[in-house]
Amino acid sequence: MSIPESANTPPQPLTAVTAAMVEFLAEARVPTAHGSFTMKLFREPSTGLEHIAMVMGDVTGSALVRVHSECMTGDVFGSLRCDCGPQLDFAMREIGKKGSGVVVYLRQEGRGIGLANKLRAYQLQDQGMDTVEANQHLGFPADLRNFDIAAQILSQLGVSSVKLMTNNPRKVSTLESAGVKIEERVPVRSDVQPENERYLGTKARKLGHHIDWLD
């Protein structure tokens, strides 16, 4: 699915101020079921958070990219309450098929509210609230994530334009405003489960995610 021409306005260059948002710390080869990646670790000085770029092949210039926010319950333990784990697996599989690309893994658990509050939000969801209502009941916006950090990491990797694997229009607009050209939005489809159907519907209705395969 191509981005409309109106959305492809020339990106603004990264400024000297924003260029200091992340610093490179270390890297190592990490073999996975989808091929061999280089894990590059970055630190966000303002928060102390450490973010990851899983890089395969030559990604300078244009690259296939997934910007993925940390989800311990879904990514690590396979929770069916969300589609995070399957989305991460899809991205790594597609990069493995292509032989090049980047997964930017941001330490922004629970759309930015942290693991403890995420579990509190889960309790509220079990009592009848949806994911947005639960966050707001706890005193948070629906989404606290900062995707500017991903743009800075991509800049340090030499990536200037991306085929972005996402259903989230906010990721597209934030990366564009931070100077990353979006060549294409690649939909990330996942199976609908009884445990996540309401969650996916809420993301589509209230957060504008492109989840057009829901009944």
Side-chain angles (χ1 to χ4, degrees):
M1 176 178 177
S2 298
I3 300 296
E5 286 296 324
S6 59
N8 287 329
T9 54
Q12 298 300 310
L14 299 174
T15 67
V17 174
T18 58
M21 289 176 71
V22 292
E23 59 185 12
F24 174 74
L25 294 181
E27 67 177 39
R29 184 181 67 87
V30 177
T32 77
H34 303 298
S36 183
F37 288 77
T38 299
M39 178 183 283
K40 295 177 180 284
L41 183 65
F42 296 85
R43 188 173 74 89
E44 187 181 347
S46 63
T47 63
L49 291 174
E50 294 178 345
H51 306 287
I52 293 165
M54 295 291 284
V55 182
M56 179 182 286
D58 182 8
V59 297
T60 54
S62 174
L64 180 64
V65 170
R66 165 74 181 168
V67 174
H68 190 90
S69 296
E70 177 183 31
C71 176
M72 181 179 290
T73 51
D75 298 341
V76 178
F77 296 108
S79 169
L80 299 179
R81 298 186 75 128
C82 64
D83 57 342
C84 302
Q87 287 190 92
L88 179 60
D89 186 69
F90 170 87
M92 294 188 70
R93 183 171 65 249
E94 291 301 301
I95 289 171
K97 287 185 204 174
K98 181 178 174 59
S100 66
V102 183
V103 173
V104 178
Y105 195 88
L106 300 177
R107 307 298 300 278
Q108 301 185 139
E109 180 72 58
R111 296 201 302 275
I113 67 174
L115 184 57
N117 284 314
K118 177 181 178 178
L119 295 180
R120 295 181 184 111
Y122 278 176
Q123 289 183 326
L124 293 171
Q125 289 169 42
D126 284 341
Q127 295 168 22
M129 295 185 187
D130 65 34
T131 181
V132 170
E133 292 166 345
N135 276 29
Q136 292 172 339
H137 184 83
L138 292 171
F140 300 105
D143 195 339
L144 277 173
R145 291 174 295 176
N146 176 9
F147 299 123
D148 289 339
I149 300 300
Q152 297 304 312
I153 291 172
L154 292 171
S155 177
Q156 290 206 27
L157 296 174
V159 177
S160 57
S161 62
V162 302
K163 293 179 176 65
L164 188 65
M165 293 179 280
T166 188
N167 302 323
N168 186 348
R170 183 166 163 254
K171 286 183 185 176
V172 173
S173 60
T174 302
L175 291 179
E176 282 188 321
S177 66
V180 179
K181 179 181 178 183
I182 309 297
E183 296 178 26
E184 180 183 357
R185 183 185 70 81
V186 179
V188 184
R189 297 178 66 92
S190 59
D191 293 336
V192 179
Q193 308 282 350
E195 288 281 3
N196 71 16
E197 184 173 8
R198 187 185 184 203
Y199 168 81
L200 294 174
T202 300
K203 287 207 299 184
R205 291 190 308 273
K206 293 190 174 182
L207 300 176
H209 288 216
H210 301 288
I211 306 177
D212 55 5
W213 59 91
L214 283 175
D215 293 331

